[in-house]
Each structure stands twice: as structure tokens, then as C-alpha cells.
Amino acid sequence: MQTYDMYIGGEWVPPASGTYLDSIDPYTGKAWARIARGNAEDADRAVEAAHKAFSDGPWSKLTATQRGALLRKLGDLLAANARRLAEIEVRDNGKLMAEMFAQASYIPQWYYYFGGLADKIQGAVIPIDKPGVLNYTRREPLGVVVGITPWNSPLLLATNKIAPALAAGCTLVMKPSEYTSASLLEFAKLVEEAGFPPGVFNVVTGLGAEIGDRLTTHPRVAKIAFTGGEIGGKAVYQSAARNLKKVSLELGGKSPNIVFDDANLNNAVNGAISGIFAASGQTCIAGSRLLVQETIYDQFMEKLLALARTAQMGDPSRSDTQVGPVTTKPQYDKILDYIAIAKSEGATCVLGGKAADRGGWFVEPTIFTGVTNDMRIAQEEVFGPVLSVIKFKDEDEAVAIANDVLYGLAAGVWTQSIARAINVSDRLQAGVIWVNTYRSVSYSSPVNGHKMSGIGAENGIEAIDEYLQTKSIWINTASEVPNPFIMRI
């Protein structure tokens, strides 16, 4: 069985506790690897290594162009190892090989993009209103960043933080989910091979309760970048506030996928299926609330159910599998609990609605109709292959239902009217709006969670700003110093 230590200060080190956690293959339900069980001592060691690299090491002496070159080299190594990394992620989190290989193959683009941005970070000379004064600004890295990432797309969600943080000149301590740590530890080997100086990138593993609090409160940490659930995000926010650390949070969603009666129904059906059953619903942008206009409701549901019934469940490593297992046992239990809650609330289960006897943690693709937006199944994030279908009358009602939720991460709109596409997109309270598509992502397009879905941006030019701070510099060029007892206003 593969055993993974932690990567700290450019070295592979065992945990201070001397203990390890089993990493379980969700398809078989059996352990396939052992992951170091870190604690506060390991957190301190990693943060100190990152701080030293930022303050005194060769990283701080590299030019921005040199940093960019390292990032692009890392991108090349990731591209060459995409298949191997995807295979590890499939074994660790149970997602489909088709999806994880697509992600692993696309991830290098983040390092090319942000590698190119590294030496485009600029300040400005300000036309100040004071004679005899030169005033300019510099954009400088924050320092040590702690990245905390979940189990559903380990490398992609970590990359959303790693690429811009390194491009900005920060150093990193990454804490992946204890359920899916293997791929990020394999990634660390490629960081080392690319030639990054020791301490620039570190990975600590273990349980959040045992290592996470120290990471989020350590006085040398300048920023916490977190992706995960709302409860975890609130805990991180509160913990980081003790030392006024900067925080970015990419949290959950209860995203509406809205189908109007002028939509291309076949495309909309495909989009609805992709929005909820791809990745077994284990994505923060899942279109878990399907809003269908009443004039096409029966026709649309007939098509939707016909396609959903064809979904092939099974081994996620096989190319013909369309729905894989749930990644963790606690999440599997949570999904089944929510299915029971939906039934108790009066929703009608028209597809699935139970565990699938496949040997691992499988839940049947499930669709509920008769859902009202005040039901828990419509308001709370299930994070599984469970779809709530809600009927609406007109555009105003669709927008009202869509926005009547605590979250605001994403939304989908299906229509052939360009006017409706623009108007509805403008009215929806979400950071990402897809029109006639769903679950499209790009390194160059920002993701900003609205409402309870998060704080700050990931991806795009905006992302690098999350890891920078501004310094204003004043230089007196006059031959005499003004009266020292009077402020220059």
C-alpha cells in the first residue's frame, strides 16, 4: 500500500504524530493508500519553511519573469503527467476518468496563464497634487498563504489558488482534504522537479480539527484561501479574523438551472443532466434546482426522465460509466438523509431515491418533482446526484424563485431569446451565469461567489489581485523640507 509523508521545506517528512490515515477508494470501499496525520507541530514547521522562503530564500530574489518561467515549466510537467494524476484522483475520489483526465489535461493552462501574468503586475506613478513630490505605488505579494481545499476536484481547486499565489510571489502551505490528499502530494513532486526553491510550496495533510486551526491562526500566515462548505468557511473566517488575516472563500451553492419555453429542449435536457448528475452532483456549481416553465413542463420532464434513466453507473475508470460513486462515506450518508427529508416534506420521487447496490458508495440518480422553494431539499446544499424540479409561470417568477436562496454561486438560463438571456442574467444574484450551457470553466474567467457562496475571486486577472497588496511611496524632490510641524495637505 502506498504511504505518503508530508512535503515541507523541500523535503519529504513523516508526521510528528507518527500516525497515518487510510485513504479509501470510493468504488471498492477499501483502503489503497496511507496519508500522514499532521498536527499543530507539522503546521508550524510548514509555515516557518514558507516564511523563510518568502523572506530570506532565493524565491524572494527571483525576478517576476523568472517566477513566470518556473510556472510555465510546471505546466509542462503537469501536461506530461496528466494521465497518471487523473488515475490517482479517480482512485482517491471516485469521479469519472473522463472528467478527471479532462481536468488534469486542462490544469496546465492555469500555470501558463498565470506564468504569463507574473511579470505584468504593475504599480503606477500618481499625478499627485503636491509640488516637489514623486508618488508611486508598488503591487507586492502578501507573504505566506495557506490554501485549504476539498475532496471533489482536488488538483483543479488547489490550482485555482496555487497558480495566482505563486505568480504574485507568495509562498504556500496547502492542506488538502484528508479524503483526497494523494494527487496534491504527487503534484508536489512535480513542483520540486520544476525547480522551485525549497519552502515555496509545502503540503501538510491530516484532519482539519487537528491541524487546520493552527494553520488559520499562525501569526506568520498572511492569507487563507479556502474552498469547501459553508460551515467550514465560517469557521475559517472566524479563525482568521483573530489576526486580521486576508481571506478568500469559495463556498457552496444551490444553483438554479432555468428552462424557458422558447429553449431548445434537447439542449436544455442535456444541460440539466450535466448540471446535476455529472460528477455525481459533487460540485459546488451543481444545477441542483431545475426551474421549468409550466407551458413546457410535461414535455420537458418526459425527455428529462427518458435520458436520466439511461445513465450508466459503475466503475469510474471505465469510459462507458456515466455516474460514479460518492467520494466519502459521510457524504453518502448525508445524501441519503436528504432524500428521506425530501420525501417527508412531500416531494415526489420520480427517479432513483435510494442507494445503489454496486459495492461502493453509490446513490442512484434521483429526481424530485412537486418541490416548492421553501423545502429543505430546495434550500440546502445536498452535494449529490439529487435534482429538485420546480415549476414556474413567467420570467418574474423564475427570477424570484432563483434568487430566493442564501447562496449565489452559479445559475443557468436556457432560452433562444437574446433579450431574455441578457435581462435574466442581469437580474440573477449569482457570480457565474451560463446561457445555453452549464459547468463551463476557464482559467481566464473569474468566479466570484455572491451572498453565502463566498468572498473574493478565483481565476482570471482578478485572481492575482487576491494575493497582492499595494504600497504607496512618497519621495520629496524639493531642495528644502517643508515646515515639520504642519501636515502637507
Side-chain angles (χ1 to χ4, degrees):
M1 185 182 297
Q2 175 76 48
T3 297
Y4 287 99
D5 286 325
M6 290 181 283
Y7 186 68
I8 298 176
E11 297 180 350
W12 293 95
V13 297
S17 67
T19 60
Y20 292 79
L21 300 165
D22 284 342
S23 190
I24 309 297
D25 182 338
Y27 176 59
T28 65
K30 298 178 181 179
W32 76 277
R34 299 169 69 239
I35 306 297
R37 184 171 181 169
N39 58 23
E41 183 178 339
D42 300 301
D44 285 344
R45 186 168 35 166
V47 172
E48 290 298 334
H51 174 71
K52 181 179 179 180
F54 179 77
S55 302
D56 305 318
W59 181 247
S60 61
K61 298 177 178 62
L62 293 181
T63 66
T65 301
Q66 290 172 319
R67 288 200 308 270
L70 283 174
L71 283 165
R72 291 191 294 275
K73 184 175 180 180
L74 177 57
D76 290 341
L77 290 170
L78 287 165
N81 287 272
R83 172 65 66 175
R84 181 175 65 87
L85 292 171
E87 290 171 350
I88 291 169
E89 294 216 319
V90 170
R91 197 167 189 185
D92 222 11
N93 75 359
K95 280 194 174 181
L96 302 184
M97 171 57 78
E99 172 146 341
M100 302 321 291
F101 182 57
Q103 286 187 15
S105 299
Y106 193 39
I107 281 171
Q109 298 300 325
W110 268 258
Y111 296 92
Y112 301 146
Y113 179 81
F114 285 101
L117 279 180
D119 57 7
K120 313 302 186 298
I121 300 168
Q122 299 177 3
V125 176
I126 298 173
I128 202 74
D129 62 337
K130 307 292 184 288
V133 172
L134 170 64
N135 180 224
Y136 64 94
T137 59
R138 285 172 51 88
R139 300 284 284 152
E140 298 181 343
L142 290 173
V144 178
V145 173
V146 166
I148 302 175
T149 52
W151 43 258
N152 53 322
S153 289
L155 274 183
L156 179 62
L157 296 177
T159 286
N160 288 346
K161 302 165 185 8
I162 296 167
L166 292 178
C170 296
T171 56
L172 282 156
V173 177
M174 296 299 298
K175 161 61 177 77
S177 167
E178 63 270 24
Y179 295 106
T180 55
S181 298
S183 60
L184 194 61
L185 291 163
E186 293 288 345
F187 172 91
K189 297 176 183 178
L190 301 181
V191 172
E192 187 173 45
E193 185 178 345
F196 284 81
V200 171
F201 181 80
N202 308 271
V203 183
V204 294
T205 55
L207 302 175
E210 296 176 354
I211 195 170
D213 186 64
R214 182 55 179 162
L215 288 172
T216 56
T217 59
H218 197 291
R220 292 201 189 279
V221 173
K223 175 186 169 73
I224 312 295
F226 174 88
T227 297
E230 174 191 343
I231 294 174
K234 287 181 178 179
V236 166
Y237 202 16
Q238 292 169 349
S239 181
R242 298 179 211 171
N243 301 109
L244 298 179
K245 301 184 189 304
K246 295 183 182 298
V247 174
S248 58
L249 305 172
E250 200 270 275
L251 305 178
K254 197 67 184 177
S255 302
N257 206 354
I258 309 170
V259 183
F260 288 98
D261 59 8
D262 65 339
N264 179 310
L265 294 192
N266 290 331
N267 288 345
V269 166
N270 288 335
I273 294 292
S274 172
I276 189 60
F277 296 138
S280 297
Q282 298 171 109
T283 169
C284 52
I285 56 176
S288 54
R289 289 186 299 153
L290 179 62
L291 280 55
V292 182
Q293 195 158 16
E294 61 184 16
T295 48
I296 57 166
Y297 181 85
D298 292 339
Q299 180 185 4
F300 186 86
M301 288 304 301
E302 182 179 352
K303 289 177 175 288
L304 179 72
L305 288 168
L307 181 58
R309 290 189 182 106
T310 68
Q312 297 295 312
M313 302 181 68
D315 184 348
S317 67
R318 290 177 55 93
S319 61
D320 58 349
T321 299
Q322 296 169 312
V323 179
V326 174
T327 299
T328 76
K329 181 61 162 59
Q331 186 61 29
Y332 169 82
D333 292 336
K334 176 185 173 183
I335 294 167
L336 295 178
D337 285 344
Y338 267 109
I339 289 173
I341 289 168
K343 292 175 180 178
S344 70
E345 287 183 318
T348 301
C349 185
V350 295
L351 184 72
K354 61 182 184 297
D357 185 14
R358 297 278 178 169
W361 301 322
F362 284 87
V363 176
E364 292 183 348
T366 298
I367 298 177
F368 284 101
T369 59
V371 177
T372 58
N373 204 49
D374 58 347
M375 292 180 177
R376 289 182 63 186
I377 198 70
Q379 288 290 318
E380 300 174 17
E381 186 176 41
V382 177
F383 219 69
V386 180
L387 179 64
S388 298
V389 185
I390 302 173
K391 192 183 299 186
F392 69 88
K393 181 179 180 180
D394 55 24
E395 188 174 301
D396 287 341
E397 186 179 24
V399 171
I401 294 171
N403 290 339
D404 184 20
V405 71
L406 292 175
Y407 300 102
L409 190 59
V413 177
W414 298 86
T415 179
Q416 296 188 72
S417 165
I418 187 63
R420 172 176 277 165
I422 294 171
N423 293 334
V424 172
S425 295
D426 287 348
R427 297 172 66 189
L428 290 173
Q429 298 168 358
V432 178
I433 312 295
W434 291 293
V435 178
N436 297 331
T437 186
Y438 206 88
R439 290 187 77 223
S440 297
V441 297
S442 172
Y443 51 86
S444 61
S445 182
V447 176
N448 299 75
H450 292 194
K451 299 192 284 189
M452 294 295 289
S453 286
I455 298 170
E458 292 195 325
N459 301 337
I461 293 175
E462 293 178 36
I464 205 166
D465 289 332
E466 299 287 339
Y467 300 93
L468 295 167
Q469 56 193 347
T470 300
K471 177 185 290 181
S472 180
I473 300 167
W474 294 61
I475 299 176
N476 178 33
T477 61
S479 57
E480 296 183 3
V481 176
N483 187 334
F485 297 100
I486 300 176
M487 179 183 290
R488 295 195 69 187
I489 57 175

